[in-house]
Amino acid sequence: MGPALTFANLESFVGQQIALTGWREVPQADATAFGTLTGDPDPMHVDPVWARTNSPYGQSVLAGFHLLSLLPALTRGSGLEIADVRLAMNYGFERIRFVSPVPVGAAFRNRVRLLRVDRRPDGKATITTLNSYEFEGQERPALTAEWVNILWPHVG
């Protein structure tokens, strides 16, 4: 195993994969709850009976925004750590694409590659990662997102 990812050595990991999470599945109850919570109860996501008959996929699929909302769980929540970082904060996105539908209950994971590191005069850094959700049995990714985070280093 190579060197640990740290605040000080981030640049040496640019262009490399820095995480590959475990597989995750989202059950229908969670897909339905997400639709209810966000006020978007699209039957393609929340009604498997409707989806079997009317959806182009023949089954219910996860909402793109649901997949996007899982990024924190599929990065830091899955063990991605950068040593000597006191705080990491979401700063936004450069580009997001919902490439392929993910059937409810299908296993998927996140492959994370470090694209860019920008050091700031205040001692913080912004990092941009390419997050690609892949799921079993599908060649194309389900989601790709260039995610920007601000990192605060441990001081002292």
Side-chain angles (χ1 to χ4, degrees):
M1 183 155 187
L5 185 61
T6 69
F7 186 82
N9 72 4
L10 286 167
E11 287 83 357
S12 65
F13 288 87
V14 169
Q16 296 182 37
Q17 178 177 300
I18 59 172
L20 178 62
T21 69
W23 294 100
R24 180 179 182 125
E25 298 173 13
V26 176
Q28 185 63 58
D30 289 359
T32 301
F34 185 84
T36 300
L37 180 66
T38 60
D40 183 20
D42 184 328
M44 189 177 326
H45 308 304
V46 304
D47 187 342
V49 174
W50 181 94
R52 266 193 296 281
T53 305
N54 300 295
S55 165
Y57 310 113
Q59 60 191 349
S60 53
V61 296
L62 296 174
F65 284 119
H66 192 169
L67 289 168
L68 188 63
S69 75
L70 293 172
L71 266 176
L74 288 169
T75 53
R76 289 191 314 267
S78 291
L80 174 60
E81 290 187 29
I82 302 172
D84 301 323
V85 170
R86 178 171 53 97
L87 175 68
M89 186 177 291
N90 179 5
Y91 195 58
F93 294 90
E94 297 294 339
R95 179 184 165 113
I96 301 166
R97 293 292 181 263
F98 304 109
V99 182
S100 301
V102 176
V104 169
F108 62 97
R109 64 184 177 183
N110 185 17
R111 188 175 298 274
V112 184
R113 188 164 49 99
L114 184 59
L115 295 179
R116 190 170 50 256
V117 177
D118 295 302
R119 299 289 175 168
R120 298 166 36 138
D122 62 5
K124 299 175 189 119
T126 59
I127 62 168
T128 304
T129 56
L130 175 61
N131 296 265
S132 299
Y133 286 7
E134 53 191 40
F135 67 101
E136 294 179 319
Q138 181 69 26
E139 201 169 298
R140 296 176 55 184
L143 171 143
T144 60
E146 293 179 12
W147 191 16
V148 184
N149 281 269
I150 299 176
L151 306 180
W152 275 256
H154 279 290
V155 179

